[in-house]
Amino acid sequence: MSAGVALPLLSACVTGGDDDSDPAAGNSGTKSADNPLGVKADAPLEVVIFKGGYGDEYAKKAGTLYTQKYPAAKIDHQGLQKIGEALQPRFVANTPPDVVDNTGASRLDIATLVASKQVSDLSQLLDAPAFDEPGKTVRDTLLPGVVDDGTFDKVPLTLNFTYTVWGLWYSKPLFASKGWTFPKTWDEMLTLCATIKAAGIAPWTYQGKYPEYINDPLLGMAAKTGGLALVKAVDNLEPNAWKAPGLIGAAEAFAELAGKGYILSGSEALSHTEAQAAWSQGKAAIIPCGSWLESEQKGVTPPNFEMVMAPVPSRTSSEGFKQTAVQAASSESYLVPAKAKNPAGGMEYLRMLFSKQSAKAFAESAGTLPAITGATDGLTLSSGLGSVRDAVTAAGSETFTYRFRTWYAPLAKAVDDATGELVNKRITAVQWSDRIQKAADSIAKDSSVKKYTR
């Protein structure tokens, strides 16, 4: 399952006992310019990595950097798929590893870990000198939004290694052969869709069983109209946030897409792999997805398909964000447990993992954009990854992301369900807005749900 699909979270109790002893006692060294985090040179280090689509070789390479600097330190590296099942008992027992890549379908629920104070504050890591970029801190080397993505109640608790960008994908040679230009405005999109349909191709398809895929361009369009104020109002559960003109306008646009017959018939029943296969077979010209699409389609996409990603078109001329803005967020989430035996070593390992040399090697092997600025400089990139890098460059500081999906799973489901109904012509844009607002109000009033603000 891809990074864009809502994944079940392991939310059972992970609260440790009342043991006040310091498991890190005796495992710190003297801080210096060469050792900014105070690593004890011979302290063992335990690293647990989610071994998913990216494997774990990239993480082992960071371990090699660590042992080169601290040859007396023994590293216990474990690559696992079921992080939650393996580590929940250890968090309960206050015996967690020193570094955890908390990713995958059975990852530990970060909100629960945060509430039970099981995660270390990473401020000193972010403010430490970057491993291989003189004059910069680790914080300085990260792409826009990465620190915020791992911040809870103004404290940075996780650090995400990969950078996902959402947009609309098409085959560059197909568009070139037909003389089509990818649209920048929604009016241009509707005109192009009519042309594509006349050529005997469905203009759009989407991963119908997972309507969050088509939520992304809808919400991206809304943000381009309403700006960061709209995004924050949604995430902060403000009254009537979902009734903002930007959101209703975006819903109307996607209702129009469906109403004009511009979505491949039967898309509602397709899984993400089925919809993406239909697209790569030329049955549809455009598909919404995150930047993992190219690697997920390896072995399926025909030769010379040359998929590229474009930003979502703007619907209005008075924009909150420019048309080049993109929805982007970091993922592959790393943390240092609060009860780790070697937290200084855990943070030092992350300082090396988030180095430019480490990120560059990852970009080459994984075909995915790391969360580190300049990681792809000088590399020959595939068409998809190159277009993602170009989109991030063009967006500059105008990247945005909604956080309600991470913070409030029931609201995310309500949005998904309503959008599925909208693009299958069973409800109107106003009904879509009313349904979601009702769900948001219910969560806002529920005192048992911890609230976050931005």
Side-chain angles (χ1 to χ4, degrees):
M1 191 173 276
S2 72
V5 177
L7 297 169
L9 301 178
L10 192 66
S11 55
C13 177
V14 291
T15 305
D18 295 325
D19 184 3
D20 291 327
S21 63
D22 182 6
N27 272 349
S28 60
T30 303
K31 292 185 179 182
S32 65
D34 188 52
N35 186 6
L37 294 166
V39 174
K40 185 181 180 185
D42 62 350
L45 182 72
E46 187 183 1
V47 181
V48 175
I49 302 295
F50 172 63
K51 192 173 181 179
Y54 303 133
D56 64 346
E57 282 301 316
Y58 76 98
K60 289 180 180 178
K61 288 177 182 175
T64 300
L65 290 175
Y66 192 95
T67 52
Q68 285 171 353
K69 186 169 183 180
Y70 306 103
K74 182 183 177 183
I75 295 185
D76 177 3
H77 173 105
Q78 300 167 57
L80 307 174
Q81 292 197 336
K82 296 185 176 180
I83 295 292
E85 280 88 334
L87 296 187
Q88 181 171 314
R90 296 187 56 186
F91 273 91
V92 171
N94 286 332
T95 58
D98 301 309
V99 180
V100 178
D101 172 9
N102 186 38
T103 307
S106 69
R107 66 189 181 271
L108 291 155
D109 179 17
I110 186 63
T112 304
L113 289 175
V114 169
S116 55
K117 297 182 168 36
Q118 292 275 7
V119 192
S120 295
D121 181 345
L122 297 180
S123 295
Q124 61 175 318
L125 166 64
L126 292 169
D127 294 332
F131 183 69
D132 56 3
E133 295 192 68
K136 291 185 177 182
T137 63
V138 172
R139 188 190 301 272
D140 294 336
T141 67
L142 301 172
L143 286 170
V146 173
V147 174
D148 287 345
D149 288 342
T151 296
F152 296 79
D153 290 334
K154 300 183 179 178
V155 180
L157 298 176
T158 67
L159 196 55
N160 298 346
F161 187 65
T162 61
Y163 202 68
T164 301
V165 185
W166 284 266
L168 302 176
W169 292 78
Y170 63 99
S171 166
K172 193 175 180 180
L174 171 65
F175 271 56
S177 69
K178 301 287 189 182
W180 300 337
T181 300
F182 201 86
K184 289 183 167 58
T185 69
W186 194 248
D187 286 344
E188 290 171 359
M189 172 63 80
L190 294 176
T191 299
L192 175 63
C193 285
T195 303
I196 294 172
K197 189 174 182 181
I201 304 171
W204 281 57
T205 187
Y206 77 104
Q207 304 83 338
K209 287 185 178 178
Y210 307 106
E212 61 263 36
Y213 279 89
I214 204 161
N215 269 334
D216 293 322
L218 190 162
L219 295 178
M221 181 183 289
K224 289 184 182 184
T225 299
L228 192 58
L230 181 149
V231 176
K232 286 184 175 180
V234 163
D235 287 342
N236 292 343
L237 303 176
E238 290 182 11
N240 295 321
W242 287 91
K243 297 188 177 184
L247 280 158
I248 293 179
E252 287 171 347
F254 279 79
E256 191 172 18
L257 194 72
K260 290 181 178 292
Y262 292 157
I263 299 176
L264 177 68
S265 179
S267 291
E268 182 182 17
L270 300 179
S271 68
H272 60 295
T273 53
E274 290 167 340
Q276 290 158 199
W279 169 72
S280 63
Q281 291 160 8
K283 295 176 183 176
I286 298 168
I287 193 167
C289 199
S291 51
W292 62 84
L293 179 64
E294 186 176 40
S295 60
E296 193 169 71
Q297 289 299 99
K298 280 180 181 173
V300 178
T301 307
N304 305 316
F305 186 81
E306 287 187 54
M307 67 176 72
V308 290
M309 191 198 78
V312 175
S314 301
R315 188 167 189 265
T316 64
S317 56
S318 57
E319 300 301 322
F321 287 120
K322 297 193 295 282
Q323 190 274 329
T324 51
V326 289
Q327 185 173 345
S330 53
S331 55
E332 202 78 15
S333 182
Y334 280 81
L335 59 88
V336 174
K339 295 288 185 177
K341 288 183 180 177
N342 186 8
M347 291 191 198
E348 177 76 343
Y349 171 89
L350 291 181
R351 191 169 75 102
M352 294 171 177
L353 179 67
F354 281 75
S355 67
K356 195 164 186 177
Q357 61 179 294
S358 170
K360 199 164 192 172
F362 174 81
E364 284 185 293
S365 64
T368 297
L369 197 65
I372 294 86
T373 304
T376 57
D377 290 354
L379 298 182
T380 301
L381 304 181
S382 60
S383 61
L385 183 56
S387 70
V388 171
R389 188 266 319 272
D390 292 346
V392 171
T393 301
S397 62
E398 288 208 331
T399 63
F400 61 89
T401 189
Y402 293 84
R403 298 213 164 85
F404 72 86
R405 183 172 292 280
T406 303
W407 292 346
Y408 311 114
L411 179 56
K413 186 177 187 310
V415 177
D416 294 346
D417 291 348
T419 301
E421 295 289 282
L422 176 78
V423 297
N424 285 286
K425 300 181 284 190
R426 291 190 285 268
I427 60 174
T428 66
V430 170
Q431 289 169 331
W432 174 89
S433 168
D434 288 343
R435 276 179 55 161
I436 299 172
Q437 189 60 57
K438 186 176 179 182
D441 290 344
S442 175
I443 290 167
K445 292 172 185 171
D446 188 343
S447 60
S448 71
V449 176
K450 179 171 173 56
K451 308 302 192 301
Y452 295 96
T453 57
R454 52 180 302 190

PDB file of all heavy atoms in Angstrom, residues 248-275:
ATOM      1  N   ILE A 248     -16.030  25.101  -1.095  1.00  0.00           N
ATOM      2  CA  ILE A 248     -17.237  24.819  -1.881  1.00  0.00           C
ATOM      3  C   ILE A 248     -16.938  24.978  -3.378  1.00  0.00           C
ATOM      4  O   ILE A 248     -17.384  24.176  -4.206  1.00  0.00           O
ATOM      5  CB  ILE A 248     -18.401  25.721  -1.432  1.00  0.00           C
ATOM      6  CG1 ILE A 248     -18.828  25.333  -0.001  1.00  0.00           C
ATOM      7  CG2 ILE A 248     -19.588  25.601  -2.391  1.00  0.00           C
ATOM      8  CD1 ILE A 248     -19.954  26.165   0.579  1.00  0.00           C
ATOM      9  N   GLY A 249     -16.142  25.980  -3.724  1.00  0.00           N
ATOM     10  CA  GLY A 249     -15.781  26.173  -5.124  1.00  0.00           C
ATOM     11  C   GLY A 249     -14.997  25.000  -5.686  1.00  0.00           C
ATOM     12  O   GLY A 249     -15.229  24.551  -6.822  1.00  0.00           O
ATOM     13  N   ALA A 250     -14.046  24.464  -4.900  1.00  0.00           N
ATOM     14  CA  ALA A 250     -13.271  23.310  -5.345  1.00  0.00           C
ATOM     15  C   ALA A 250     -14.171  22.082  -5.486  1.00  0.00           C
ATOM     16  O   ALA A 250     -14.042  21.301  -6.438  1.00  0.00           O
ATOM     17  CB  ALA A 250     -12.140  23.032  -4.366  1.00  0.00           C
ATOM     18  N   ALA A 251     -15.102  21.911  -4.540  1.00  0.00           N
ATOM     19  CA  ALA A 251     -16.040  20.790  -4.637  1.00  0.00           C
ATOM     20  C   ALA A 251     -16.917  20.926  -5.878  1.00  0.00           C
ATOM     21  O   ALA A 251     -17.196  19.936  -6.582  1.00  0.00           O
ATOM     22  CB  ALA A 251     -16.897  20.713  -3.376  1.00  0.00           C
ATOM     23  N   GLU A 252     -17.327  22.148  -6.189  1.00  0.00           N
ATOM     24  CA  GLU A 252     -18.121  22.376  -7.403  1.00  0.00           C
ATOM     25  C   GLU A 252     -17.321  22.009  -8.652  1.00  0.00           C
ATOM     26  O   GLU A 252     -17.862  21.447  -9.611  1.00  0.00           O
ATOM     27  CB  GLU A 252     -18.551  23.844  -7.473  1.00  0.00           C
ATOM     28  CG  GLU A 252     -19.642  24.210  -6.479  1.00  0.00           C
ATOM     29  CD  GLU A 252     -19.908  25.709  -6.406  1.00  0.00           C
ATOM     30  OE1 GLU A 252     -19.088  26.495  -6.946  1.00  0.00           O
ATOM     31  OE2 GLU A 252     -20.922  26.088  -5.797  1.00  0.00           O
ATOM     32  N   ALA A 253     -16.012  22.328  -8.632  1.00  0.00           N
ATOM     33  CA  ALA A 253     -15.165  22.015  -9.784  1.00  0.00           C
ATOM     34  C   ALA A 253     -15.103  20.514 -10.028  1.00  0.00           C
ATOM     35  O   ALA A 253     -15.233  20.047 -11.168  1.00  0.00           O
ATOM     36  CB  ALA A 253     -13.757  22.580  -9.558  1.00  0.00           C
ATOM     37  N   PHE A 254     -14.939  19.740  -8.959  1.00  0.00           N
ATOM     38  CA  PHE A 254     -14.834  18.292  -9.134  1.00  0.00           C
ATOM     39  C   PHE A 254     -16.186  17.654  -9.427  1.00  0.00           C
ATOM     40  O   PHE A 254     -16.260  16.628 -10.113  1.00  0.00           O
ATOM     41  CB  PHE A 254     -14.121  17.669  -7.929  1.00  0.00           C
ATOM     42  CG  PHE A 254     -12.632  17.816  -8.041  1.00  0.00           C
ATOM     43  CD1 PHE A 254     -12.015  19.023  -7.725  1.00  0.00           C
ATOM     44  CD2 PHE A 254     -11.850  16.786  -8.527  1.00  0.00           C
ATOM     45  CE1 PHE A 254     -10.650  19.186  -7.889  1.00  0.00           C
ATOM     46  CE2 PHE A 254     -10.485  16.938  -8.683  1.00  0.00           C
ATOM     47  CZ  PHE A 254      -9.878  18.140  -8.368  1.00  0.00           C
ATOM     48  N   ALA A 255     -17.254  18.272  -8.928  1.00  0.00           N
ATOM     49  CA  ALA A 255     -18.588  17.811  -9.312  1.00  0.00           C
ATOM     50  C   ALA A 255     -18.794  18.034 -10.814  1.00  0.00           C
ATOM     51  O   ALA A 255     -19.395  17.207 -11.509  1.00  0.00           O
ATOM     52  CB  ALA A 255     -19.659  18.553  -8.506  1.00  0.00           C
ATOM     53  N   GLU A 256     -18.282  19.148 -11.313  1.00  0.00           N
ATOM     54  CA  GLU A 256     -18.391  19.455 -12.738  1.00  0.00           C
ATOM     55  C   GLU A 256     -17.578  18.465 -13.578  1.00  0.00           C
ATOM     56  O   GLU A 256     -18.019  18.022 -14.638  1.00  0.00           O
ATOM     57  CB  GLU A 256     -17.897  20.885 -12.990  1.00  0.00           C
ATOM     58  CG  GLU A 256     -18.194  21.411 -14.380  1.00  0.00           C
ATOM     59  CD  GLU A 256     -17.864  22.887 -14.522  1.00  0.00           C
ATOM     60  OE1 GLU A 256     -17.100  23.438 -13.690  1.00  0.00           O
ATOM     61  OE2 GLU A 256     -18.360  23.498 -15.488  1.00  0.00           O
ATOM     62  N   LEU A 257     -16.418  18.103 -13.078  1.00  0.00           N
ATOM     63  CA  LEU A 257     -15.582  17.110 -13.768  1.00  0.00           C
ATOM     64  C   LEU A 257     -16.357  15.805 -13.960  1.00  0.00           C
ATOM     65  O   LEU A 257     -16.361  15.206 -15.040  1.00  0.00           O
ATOM     66  CB  LEU A 257     -14.312  16.862 -12.938  1.00  0.00           C
ATOM     67  CG  LEU A 257     -13.159  16.130 -13.604  1.00  0.00           C
ATOM     68  CD1 LEU A 257     -12.473  17.018 -14.636  1.00  0.00           C
ATOM     69  CD2 LEU A 257     -12.142  15.692 -12.539  1.00  0.00           C
ATOM     70  N   ALA A 258     -17.031  15.394 -12.896  1.00  0.00           N
ATOM     71  CA  ALA A 258     -17.826  14.164 -12.969  1.00  0.00           C
ATOM     72  C   ALA A 258     -19.072  14.364 -13.826  1.00  0.00           C
ATOM     73  O   ALA A 258     -19.427  13.511 -14.650  1.00  0.00           O
ATOM     74  CB  ALA A 258     -18.223  13.726 -11.561  1.00  0.00           C
ATOM     75  N   GLY A 259     -19.725  15.502 -13.643  1.00  0.00           N
ATOM     76  CA  GLY A 259     -20.976  15.758 -14.357  1.00  0.00           C
ATOM     77  C   GLY A 259     -20.814  15.807 -15.861  1.00  0.00           C
ATOM     78  O   GLY A 259     -21.733  15.436 -16.612  1.00  0.00           O
ATOM     79  N   LYS A 260     -19.670  16.238 -16.333  1.00  0.00           N
ATOM     80  CA  LYS A 260     -19.414  16.313 -17.765  1.00  0.00           C
ATOM     81  C   LYS A 260     -18.885  15.002 -18.345  1.00  0.00           C
ATOM     82  O   LYS A 260     -18.531  14.939 -19.523  1.00  0.00           O
ATOM     83  CB  LYS A 260     -18.432  17.450 -18.059  1.00  0.00           C
ATOM     84  CG  LYS A 260     -19.006  18.852 -17.844  1.00  0.00           C
ATOM     85  CD  LYS A 260     -17.985  19.925 -18.187  1.00  0.00           C
ATOM     86  CE  LYS A 260     -18.561  21.330 -18.023  1.00  0.00           C
ATOM     87  NZ  LYS A 260     -19.620  21.643 -19.013  1.00  0.00           N
ATOM     88  N   GLY A 261     -18.796  13.970 -17.494  1.00  0.00           N
ATOM     89  CA  GLY A 261     -18.333  12.665 -17.979  1.00  0.00           C
ATOM     90  C   GLY A 261     -16.846  12.614 -18.273  1.00  0.00           C
ATOM     91  O   GLY A 261     -16.397  11.865 -19.150  1.00  0.00           O
ATOM     92  N   TYR A 262     -16.065  13.381 -17.496  1.00  0.00           N
ATOM     93  CA  TYR A 262     -14.625  13.444 -17.749  1.00  0.00           C
ATOM     94  C   TYR A 262     -13.815  12.468 -16.886  1.00  0.00           C
ATOM     95  O   TYR A 262     -12.591  12.498 -16.912  1.00  0.00           O
ATOM     96  CB  TYR A 262     -14.118  14.870 -17.530  1.00  0.00           C
ATOM     97  CG  TYR A 262     -14.615  15.866 -18.558  1.00  0.00           C
ATOM     98  CD1 TYR A 262     -14.666  17.231 -18.255  1.00  0.00           C
ATOM     99  CD2 TYR A 262     -15.024  15.462 -19.829  1.00  0.00           C
ATOM    100  CE1 TYR A 262     -15.119  18.160 -19.187  1.00  0.00           C
ATOM    101  CE2 TYR A 262     -15.483  16.376 -20.767  1.00  0.00           C
ATOM    102  CZ  TYR A 262     -15.530  17.725 -20.440  1.00  0.00           C
ATOM    103  OH  TYR A 262     -15.974  18.638 -21.363  1.00  0.00           O
ATOM    104  N   ILE A 263     -14.499  11.632 -16.097  1.00  0.00           N
ATOM    105  CA  ILE A 263     -13.816  10.617 -15.294  1.00  0.00           C
ATOM    106  C   ILE A 263     -14.097   9.250 -15.905  1.00  0.00           C
ATOM    107  O   ILE A 263     -15.241   8.934 -16.246  1.00  0.00           O
ATOM    108  CB  ILE A 263     -14.275  10.655 -13.824  1.00  0.00           C
ATOM    109  CG1 ILE A 263     -13.938  12.024 -13.198  1.00  0.00           C
ATOM    110  CG2 ILE A 263     -13.617   9.541 -13.019  1.00  0.00           C
ATOM    111  CD1 ILE A 263     -14.441  12.208 -11.775  1.00  0.00           C
ATOM    112  N   LEU A 264     -13.063   8.436 -16.070  1.00  0.00           N
ATOM    113  CA  LEU A 264     -13.183   7.108 -16.668  1.00  0.00           C
ATOM    114  C   LEU A 264     -14.307   6.317 -16.008  1.00  0.00           C
ATOM    115  O   LEU A 264     -14.348   6.176 -14.787  1.00  0.00           O
ATOM    116  CB  LEU A 264     -11.860   6.348 -16.522  1.00  0.00           C
ATOM    117  CG  LEU A 264     -11.820   4.902 -17.027  1.00  0.00           C
ATOM    118  CD1 LEU A 264     -11.930   4.863 -18.557  1.00  0.00           C
ATOM    119  CD2 LEU A 264     -10.544   4.207 -16.551  1.00  0.00           C
ATOM    120  N   SER A 265     -15.215   5.807 -16.796  1.00  0.00           N
ATOM    121  CA  SER A 265     -16.337   5.030 -16.271  1.00  0.00           C
ATOM    122  C   SER A 265     -15.828   3.830 -15.486  1.00  0.00           C
ATOM    123  O   SER A 265     -14.922   3.124 -15.925  1.00  0.00           O
ATOM    124  CB  SER A 265     -17.212   4.552 -17.437  1.00  0.00           C
ATOM    125  OG  SER A 265     -18.282   3.779 -16.962  1.00  0.00           O
ATOM    126  N   GLY A 266     -16.396   3.621 -14.292  1.00  0.00           N
ATOM    127  CA  GLY A 266     -15.991   2.490 -13.454  1.00  0.00           C
ATOM    128  C   GLY A 266     -14.847   2.794 -12.512  1.00  0.00           C
ATOM    129  O   GLY A 266     -14.433   1.914 -11.745  1.00  0.00           O
ATOM    130  N   SER A 267     -14.348   4.031 -12.526  1.00  0.00           N
ATOM    131  CA  SER A 267     -13.216   4.369 -11.653  1.00  0.00           C
ATOM    132  C   SER A 267     -13.530   4.145 -10.181  1.00  0.00           C
ATOM    133  O   SER A 267     -12.650   3.791  -9.387  1.00  0.00           O
ATOM    134  CB  SER A 267     -12.784   5.827 -11.869  1.00  0.00           C
ATOM    135  OG  SER A 267     -12.190   6.013 -13.138  1.00  0.00           O
ATOM    136  N   GLU A 268     -14.787   4.344  -9.802  1.00  0.00           N
ATOM    137  CA  GLU A 268     -15.172   4.204  -8.393  1.00  0.00           C
ATOM    138  C   GLU A 268     -14.805   2.832  -7.832  1.00  0.00           C
ATOM    139  O   GLU A 268     -14.478   2.702  -6.645  1.00  0.00           O
ATOM    140  CB  GLU A 268     -16.677   4.434  -8.243  1.00  0.00           C
ATOM    141  CG  GLU A 268     -17.167   4.352  -6.799  1.00  0.00           C
ATOM    142  CD  GLU A 268     -18.667   4.528  -6.678  1.00  0.00           C
ATOM    143  OE1 GLU A 268     -19.389   4.402  -7.687  1.00  0.00           O
ATOM    144  OE2 GLU A 268     -19.131   4.788  -5.544  1.00  0.00           O
ATOM    145  N   ALA A 269     -14.829   1.804  -8.662  1.00  0.00           N
ATOM    146  CA  ALA A 269     -14.586   0.437  -8.189  1.00  0.00           C
ATOM    147  C   ALA A 269     -13.116   0.033  -8.252  1.00  0.00           C
ATOM    148  O   ALA A 269     -12.768  -1.093  -7.868  1.00  0.00           O
ATOM    149  CB  ALA A 269     -15.413  -0.545  -9.018  1.00  0.00           C
ATOM    150  N   LEU A 270     -12.238   0.923  -8.725  1.00  0.00           N
ATOM    151  CA  LEU A 270     -10.841   0.549  -8.932  1.00  0.00           C
ATOM    152  C   LEU A 270      -9.998   0.764  -7.680  1.00  0.00           C
ATOM    153  O   LEU A 270     -10.139   1.766  -6.978  1.00  0.00           O
ATOM    154  CB  LEU A 270     -10.245   1.369 -10.081  1.00  0.00           C
ATOM    155  CG  LEU A 270     -10.906   1.219 -11.455  1.00  0.00           C
ATOM    156  CD1 LEU A 270     -10.199   2.111 -12.474  1.00  0.00           C
ATOM    157  CD2 LEU A 270     -10.885  -0.241 -11.917  1.00  0.00           C
ATOM    158  N   SER A 271      -9.082  -0.170  -7.430  1.00  0.00           N
ATOM    159  CA  SER A 271      -8.077   0.031  -6.386  1.00  0.00           C
ATOM    160  C   SER A 271      -7.023   1.001  -6.919  1.00  0.00           C
ATOM    161  O   SER A 271      -7.046   1.387  -8.098  1.00  0.00           O
ATOM    162  CB  SER A 271      -7.401  -1.296  -6.034  1.00  0.00           C
ATOM    163  OG  SER A 271      -6.608  -1.738  -7.134  1.00  0.00           O
ATOM    164  N   HIS A 272      -6.074   1.370  -6.063  1.00  0.00           N
ATOM    165  CA  HIS A 272      -5.034   2.292  -6.543  1.00  0.00           C
ATOM    166  C   HIS A 272      -4.208   1.660  -7.654  1.00  0.00           C
ATOM    167  O   HIS A 272      -3.892   2.307  -8.652  1.00  0.00           O
ATOM    168  CB  HIS A 272      -4.160   2.793  -5.382  1.00  0.00           C
ATOM    169  CG  HIS A 272      -3.433   1.750  -4.627  1.00  0.00           C
ATOM    170  ND1 HIS A 272      -4.063   0.786  -3.882  1.00  0.00           N
ATOM    171  CD2 HIS A 272      -2.104   1.523  -4.488  1.00  0.00           C
ATOM    172  CE1 HIS A 272      -3.160   0.016  -3.311  1.00  0.00           C
ATOM    173  NE2 HIS A 272      -1.969   0.425  -3.669  1.00  0.00           N
ATOM    174  N   THR A 273      -3.878   0.371  -7.525  1.00  0.00           N
ATOM    175  CA  THR A 273      -3.059  -0.270  -8.567  1.00  0.00           C
ATOM    176  C   THR A 273      -3.846  -0.439  -9.868  1.00  0.00           C
ATOM    177  O   THR A 273      -3.283  -0.279 -10.956  1.00  0.00           O
ATOM    178  CB  THR A 273      -2.543  -1.633  -8.079  1.00  0.00           C
ATOM    179  OG1 THR A 273      -3.645  -2.427  -7.624  1.00  0.00           O
ATOM    180  CG2 THR A 273      -1.539  -1.459  -6.957  1.00  0.00           C
ATOM    181  N   GLU A 274      -5.137  -0.723  -9.757  1.00  0.00           N
ATOM    182  CA  GLU A 274      -5.959  -0.906 -10.966  1.00  0.00           C
ATOM    183  C   GLU A 274      -6.145   0.412 -11.724  1.00  0.00           C
ATOM    184  O   GLU A 274      -6.030   0.459 -12.951  1.00  0.00           O
ATOM    185  CB  GLU A 274      -7.324  -1.493 -10.582  1.00  0.00           C
ATOM    186  CG  GLU A 274      -7.251  -2.936 -10.123  1.00  0.00           C
ATOM    187  CD  GLU A 274      -8.526  -3.420  -9.447  1.00  0.00           C
ATOM    188  OE1 GLU A 274      -9.337  -2.573  -8.983  1.00  0.00           O
ATOM    189  OE2 GLU A 274      -8.712  -4.653  -9.369  1.00  0.00           O
ATOM    190  N   ALA A 275      -6.400   1.484 -10.990  1.00  0.00           N
ATOM    191  CA  ALA A 275      -6.575   2.785 -11.640  1.00  0.00           C
ATOM    192  C   ALA A 275      -5.276   3.246 -12.287  1.00  0.00           C
ATOM    193  O   ALA A 275      -5.262   3.756 -13.419  1.00  0.00           O
ATOM    194  CB  ALA A 275      -7.049   3.822 -10.619  1.00  0.00           C
TER     195      ALA A 275
END
